[in-house]
Amino acid sequence: QVQLVESGGGLVQAGGSLRLSCAASGRTFSIYAIGWFRQAPGKEREGVSCISNLDGSTYYADSVRGRFTISRDNAKNTVYLQMNDLKPEDTAVYYCATKPSHSGTYSFIALATKEYDTWGPGTHVTVSS
Protein backbone atom coordinates (compact mmCIF):
# COMPACT_ATOMS: atom_id res chain seq x y z
CA GLN A 1 0.00 0.00 0.00
CA VAL A 2 1.14 3.54 -0.81
CA GLN A 3 0.57 6.53 1.44
CA LEU A 4 0.73 10.10 0.17
CA VAL A 5 1.01 13.43 1.96
CA GLU A 6 0.87 16.79 0.20
CA SER A 7 2.36 20.00 1.54
CA GLY A 8 3.24 23.49 0.40
CA GLY A 9 -0.17 25.01 -0.19
CA GLY A 10 -1.08 28.45 1.03
CA LEU A 11 -2.18 31.93 0.09
CA VAL A 12 -0.32 33.81 -2.63
CA GLN A 13 -0.94 36.87 -4.76
CA ALA A 14 -1.55 36.60 -8.48
CA GLY A 15 1.75 36.32 -10.30
CA GLY A 16 3.42 34.65 -7.35
CA SER A 17 4.78 31.15 -6.94
CA LEU A 18 4.33 28.11 -4.75
CA ARG A 19 5.97 24.72 -4.67
CA LEU A 20 3.86 21.74 -3.70
CA SER A 21 5.39 18.52 -2.44
CA CYS A 22 4.00 15.02 -2.47
CA ALA A 23 5.81 12.55 -0.23
CA ALA A 24 5.17 8.89 -0.92
CA SER A 25 5.78 6.03 1.47
CA GLY A 26 5.01 2.35 1.66
CA ARG A 27 5.20 0.23 -1.46
CA THR A 28 6.65 2.93 -3.67
CA PHE A 29 8.08 0.34 -6.05
CA SER A 30 4.53 -0.32 -7.20
CA ILE A 31 3.97 3.25 -8.43
CA TYR A 32 3.76 3.69 -12.19
CA ALA A 33 3.09 7.42 -12.18
CA ILE A 34 2.30 10.24 -9.78
CA GLY A 35 -0.17 12.90 -10.80
CA TRP A 36 -1.31 16.25 -9.50
CA PHE A 37 -5.00 17.06 -9.62
CA ARG A 38 -7.04 19.99 -8.42
CA GLN A 39 -10.62 20.68 -7.54
CA ALA A 40 -12.09 24.15 -7.32
CA PRO A 41 -15.37 24.81 -5.49
CA GLY A 42 -18.31 23.62 -7.55
CA LYS A 43 -16.12 22.07 -10.25
CA GLU A 44 -15.01 18.58 -11.17
CA ARG A 45 -11.58 17.35 -10.23
CA GLU A 46 -9.17 17.87 -13.10
CA GLY A 47 -5.73 16.60 -13.95
CA VAL A 48 -2.92 19.14 -13.78
CA SER A 49 0.30 17.25 -14.35
CA CYS A 50 1.87 13.84 -13.92
CA ILE A 51 5.26 12.21 -14.09
CA SER A 52 6.15 8.65 -14.93
CA ASN A 53 8.29 6.76 -12.44
CA LEU A 54 9.49 4.53 -15.26
CA ASP A 55 11.16 7.06 -17.54
CA GLY A 56 10.37 10.49 -16.10
CA SER A 57 7.99 11.47 -18.89
CA THR A 58 5.85 14.44 -17.94
CA TYR A 59 2.39 15.59 -18.94
CA TYR A 60 0.63 18.91 -18.41
CA ALA A 61 -2.84 20.27 -18.79
CA ASP A 62 -3.04 23.03 -21.38
CA SER A 63 -4.12 25.48 -18.70
CA VAL A 64 -0.84 25.17 -16.78
CA ARG A 65 1.72 24.31 -19.45
CA GLY A 66 4.56 26.82 -19.36
CA ARG A 67 3.73 27.92 -15.83
CA PHE A 68 3.90 24.70 -13.80
CA THR A 69 6.75 22.20 -13.67
CA ILE A 70 6.59 18.71 -12.20
CA SER A 71 9.74 17.00 -10.96
CA ARG A 72 10.81 14.17 -8.72
CA ASP A 73 13.47 13.34 -6.17
CA ASN A 74 13.74 9.57 -6.11
CA ALA A 75 16.01 9.55 -3.04
CA LYS A 76 13.27 11.29 -1.06
CA ASN A 77 10.34 9.54 -2.74
CA THR A 78 8.93 12.98 -3.35
CA VAL A 79 7.32 14.65 -6.33
CA TYR A 80 7.13 18.42 -6.64
CA LEU A 81 4.90 20.80 -8.50
CA GLN A 82 6.51 24.19 -9.01
CA MET A 83 3.74 26.67 -9.76
CA ASN A 84 4.76 30.02 -11.22
CA ASP A 85 2.75 32.98 -12.47
CA LEU A 86 -0.22 31.85 -10.44
CA LYS A 87 -3.65 33.08 -11.41
CA PRO A 88 -6.88 33.33 -9.41
CA GLU A 89 -8.31 30.49 -11.49
CA ASP A 90 -5.60 28.23 -10.05
CA THR A 91 -7.33 28.42 -6.67
CA ALA A 92 -8.28 24.89 -5.66
CA VAL A 93 -7.50 21.99 -3.40
CA TYR A 94 -4.53 20.21 -4.93
CA TYR A 95 -4.17 16.45 -4.61
CA CYS A 96 -1.44 14.06 -5.56
CA ALA A 97 -2.29 10.54 -6.56
CA THR A 98 -0.56 7.40 -7.75
CA LYS A 99 -1.30 5.12 -10.64
CA PRO A 100 -0.36 1.51 -9.85
CA SER A 101 1.98 -0.52 -11.97
CA HIS A 102 0.47 -2.94 -14.46
CA SER A 103 1.39 -5.95 -16.55
CA GLY A 104 1.59 -6.01 -20.31
CA THR A 105 0.90 -3.23 -22.77
CA TYR A 106 -1.37 -0.53 -21.39
CA SER A 107 -2.74 2.65 -22.88
CA PHE A 108 -2.23 5.17 -20.10
CA ILE A 109 -4.37 8.30 -19.99
CA ALA A 110 -2.00 10.41 -17.94
CA LEU A 111 -4.38 13.04 -16.56
CA ALA A 112 -7.50 10.94 -16.19
CA THR A 113 -8.71 10.73 -12.61
CA LYS A 114 -9.91 7.16 -13.05
CA GLU A 115 -6.37 5.93 -13.70
CA TYR A 116 -5.28 6.64 -10.12
CA ASP A 117 -6.13 4.56 -7.09
CA THR A 118 -4.39 6.18 -4.10
CA TRP A 119 -4.88 9.80 -3.10
CA GLY A 120 -3.42 12.19 -0.59
CA PRO A 121 -5.64 14.34 1.62
CA GLY A 122 -5.01 17.49 -0.41
CA THR A 123 -3.51 20.90 0.21
CA HIS A 124 -5.25 24.23 -0.31
CA VAL A 125 -3.96 26.80 -2.77
CA THR A 126 -5.57 30.22 -2.81
CA VAL A 127 -4.49 32.86 -5.31
CA SER A 128 -5.71 36.37 -4.62
CA SER A 129 -6.10 39.10 -7.21
Side-chain angles (χ1 to χ4, degrees):
Q1 183 63 44
V2 175
Q3 296 83 43
L4 303 172
V5 179
E6 304 100 334
S7 62
L11 174 64
V12 66
Q13 292 182 318
S17 299
L18 286 173
R19 189 180 74 162
L20 305 183
S21 298
C22 174
S25 60
R27 299 180 181 179
T28 57
F29 59 85
S30 69
I31 298 173
Y32 180 78
I34 297 180
W36 285 98
F37 298 79
R38 66 187 182 187
Q39 188 166 21
K43 300 185 68 176
E44 295 291 323
R45 189 171 298 183
E46 63 176 348
V48 175
S49 182
C50 79
I51 186 166
S52 169
N53 278 359
L54 179 63
D55 60 8
S57 298
T58 58
Y59 305 85
Y60 296 94
D62 289 342
S63 60
V64 307
R65 187 175 292 109
R67 298 188 297 121
F68 292 9
T69 303
I70 191 169
S71 62
R72 64 182 182 181
D73 185 335
N74 289 337
K76 297 181 179 180
N77 289 320
T78 300
V79 171
Y80 304 96
L81 185 68
Q82 179 67 46
M83 305 187 295
N84 297 327
D85 191 25
L86 284 161
K87 303 175 180 180
E89 51 263 45
D90 295 318
T91 295
V93 178
Y94 283 72
Y95 303 88
C96 65
T98 55
K99 188 239 181 300
S101 60
H102 56 267
S103 298
T105 301
Y106 183 78
S107 183
F108 174 53
I109 306 173
L111 300 182
T113 302
K114 65 181 181 181
E115 294 280 0
Y116 298 80
D117 70 346
T118 301
W119 296 80
T123 185
H124 290 80
V125 172
T126 302
V127 183
S128 64
S129 60

